[in-house]
Amino acid sequence: MQINYNLKSASERRTEQFEPETNVGFGNLRTDHMFLMDYRDGEWRDPRVVPYGPFQIAPGAIALHYGQSVFEGAKAFRHDDGEIYTFRLDKNAERLNRSADIICIPGLPEEMQLEAINALIDVDRLWFPMQEDACLYIRPFIFATEDRLSVSPSEQYTFCVILSPSGPYYSDGFDKAIRLLISERFHRAVSGGTGASKAAGNYAASLKAGKAAAEYGAAQVLYLDASNKQIEEVGAMNHFHILKDGTVIIPKFTDTILKSITSESILDLGELLGCEVRQETVMLDQFIADIESGEIIEAGGFGTAAVVSPVGSYIFEDNRVITVGDGHVGDNTRRIYQVLTDIQKGNIEGPSGWIKQVQRVSPV
């Protein structure tokens, strides 16, 4: 792929390593550039790195009216050698195409996605924030641009990648367990729909549930299936719980659950974690009974943004609260977080191919 570089001048862009004086937060900042590529006449074309800035888009663009848009979320980390490395980026590229297929967006070859992301990180590598638990958060997305008001798949699209220098997802960091709302009113997805995709509309549909969770003092909603009998996933994460023998349980992936790359990684790391990790259908009544009996000692969520989010308690819509273990971050959850983040940061060696260095190939 021949990428065209139209970069900011040296006087307009960052020329020294980013060393913020305060916590940068998560997802708030942008780097100097973005990657763009367009789909027209049945093919992806015109790959380019350009200054970060507004799009020109027709008011009748299909994405604006019918939500034909998908996105991904990944991270890159700076290792002790001063180089930047991505974590399992091939899995994100694969998942973006799965999401695209579900809502009739043409796929983008995985190798092109990887080349685009690496080119952008290379150009803006000085934006990596030099502070603890930092990353470059990577946001690739595709949206429909054809100017047409009839309801059918667009014939034109834009693929874009932007970067966000970021700290921890939760301002309190990993050490404070969160609360989840168990809701029978709100449902994230139904079988046969778009639940297994990172479609933009799925997240728009979650906003009202998120507001309800906040009213209960909860960070997010723990979604149940449409029958309110099975646990599915948290708003922005896959759910998990840990039994008193140390076994980690993740709900089985279905077409109503977005398959978390973090969850897949934990499933692959069972031996390195020193515990069994398996998937099961998790029935709500049994889950509650096992928390109350002490069979379940820890719980939480797995996702790219927060990595591991410990859950200390659940609140129901009648304001009843159940506490997991002692309500604090458990030793098993802490170990899982430490192992995965150590792999991401290059402190320990993970499975082959999980960590890949961003090569220095840009023309600057």
Side-chain angles (χ1 to χ4, degrees):
M1 181 169 68
Q2 186 65 41
I3 299 173
N4 179 41
Y5 291 85
N6 176 23
L7 306 182
K8 288 184 174 181
S9 66
S11 63
E12 296 178 307
R13 59 180 300 191
R14 177 166 291 282
T15 56
E16 296 181 356
Q17 192 67 48
F18 185 31
E19 297 186 6
E21 296 181 358
T22 58
N23 191 309
V24 296
F26 185 87
N28 299 322
L29 301 180
R30 303 290 176 266
T31 62
D32 286 323
H33 299 91
M34 60 186 180
F35 179 93
L36 294 174
M37 185 159 51
D38 303 309
Y39 183 87
R40 298 190 308 274
D41 301 324
E43 65 177 8
W44 289 100
R45 57 177 67 188
D46 192 17
R48 58 205 185 273
V49 175
V50 301
Y52 180 89
F55 294 118
Q56 282 193 326
I57 184 170
I62 287 176
L64 299 179
H65 298 267
Y66 307 124
Q68 201 185 10
S69 176
V70 293
F71 70 95
E72 264 302 323
K75 287 180 177 178
F77 303 87
R78 194 174 191 269
H79 289 190
D80 289 341
D81 63 2
E83 297 298 322
I84 296 180
Y85 295 78
T86 57
F87 176 74
R88 306 204 76 181
L89 197 53
D90 56 324
K91 299 291 287 184
N92 292 98
E94 175 188 321
R95 190 172 66 178
L96 184 69
N97 279 340
R98 285 203 306 270
S99 296
D101 181 64
I102 289 172
I103 63 169
C104 299
I105 292 175
L108 179 59
E110 292 173 22
E111 62 274 14
M112 294 176 74
Q113 294 186 49
L114 301 182
E115 187 176 352
I117 294 168
N118 278 270
L120 181 61
I121 294 174
D122 183 32
V123 164
D124 282 344
R125 62 174 61 241
L126 291 177
W127 272 98
F128 190 94
M130 300 299 290
Q131 59 183 214
E132 189 175 0
D133 295 327
C135 71
L136 276 177
Y137 182 73
I138 306 163
R139 172 53 59 86
F141 56 106
I142 306 174
F143 59 98
T145 57
E146 184 180 357
D147 188 352
R148 179 163 47 78
L149 297 182
S150 58
V151 183
S152 60
S154 176
E155 294 185 359
Q156 298 173 9
Y157 301 86
T158 292
F159 170 70
C160 180
V161 184
I162 60 176
L163 303 175
S164 178
S166 292
Y169 186 76
Y170 292 113
S171 58
D172 293 322
F174 174 80
D175 289 323
K176 184 176 180 180
I178 63 173
R179 171 173 288 180
L180 297 180
L181 170 66
I182 297 179
S183 172
E184 294 187 352
R185 289 188 295 147
F186 300 102
H187 297 92
R188 179 183 172 276
V190 294
S191 184
T194 62
S197 73
K198 282 186 77 70
N202 289 345
Y203 294 79
S206 75
L207 297 178
K208 191 169 185 178
K211 287 184 67 176
E215 291 170 1
Y216 283 87
Q220 295 186 41
V221 170
L222 175 60
Y223 289 102
L224 308 177
D225 73 330
S227 69
N228 291 325
K229 293 181 179 179
Q230 293 178 204
I231 287 176
E232 294 207 321
E233 67 172 294
V234 188
M237 304 177 287
N238 284 173
H239 190 260
F240 75 90
H241 64 265
I242 301 176
L243 306 180
K244 63 184 179 182
D245 67 0
T247 301
V248 180
I249 307 295
I250 300 172
K252 284 184 177 179
F253 297 137
T254 66
D255 70 347
T256 57
I257 294 177
L258 178 70
K259 187 184 295 185
S260 165
I261 292 163
T262 307
S263 290
E264 290 187 276
S265 299
I266 298 302
L267 286 162
D268 292 338
L269 287 175
E271 185 174 339
L272 185 59
L273 294 171
C275 62
E276 181 184 359
V277 185
R278 67 172 186 260
Q279 293 189 281
E280 294 180 354
T281 298
V282 180
M283 306 305 294
L284 178 62
D285 288 347
Q286 188 64 53
F287 176 72
I288 295 169
D290 287 346
I291 290 176
E292 293 176 335
S293 71
E295 176 63 24
I296 292 175
I297 59 171
E298 299 173 42
F302 293 139
T304 296
V307 187
V308 180
S309 292
V311 172
S313 64
Y314 299 85
I315 187 168
F316 296 83
E317 287 165 323
D318 61 2
N319 288 306
R320 180 166 61 104
V321 174
I322 55 173
T323 300
V324 185
D326 63 4
H328 299 291
V329 182
D331 291 340
N332 298 285
T333 301
R334 194 176 297 278
R335 184 179 68 253
I336 292 169
Y337 175 82
Q338 194 65 53
V339 169
L340 190 57
T341 54
D342 276 347
I343 291 172
Q344 292 175 331
K345 295 173 183 177
N347 297 332
I348 62 175
E349 186 174 352
S352 176
W354 280 23
I355 301 293
K356 293 188 177 179
Q357 183 179 339
V358 175
Q359 299 301 313
R360 295 176 179 267
V361 297
S362 75
V364 295

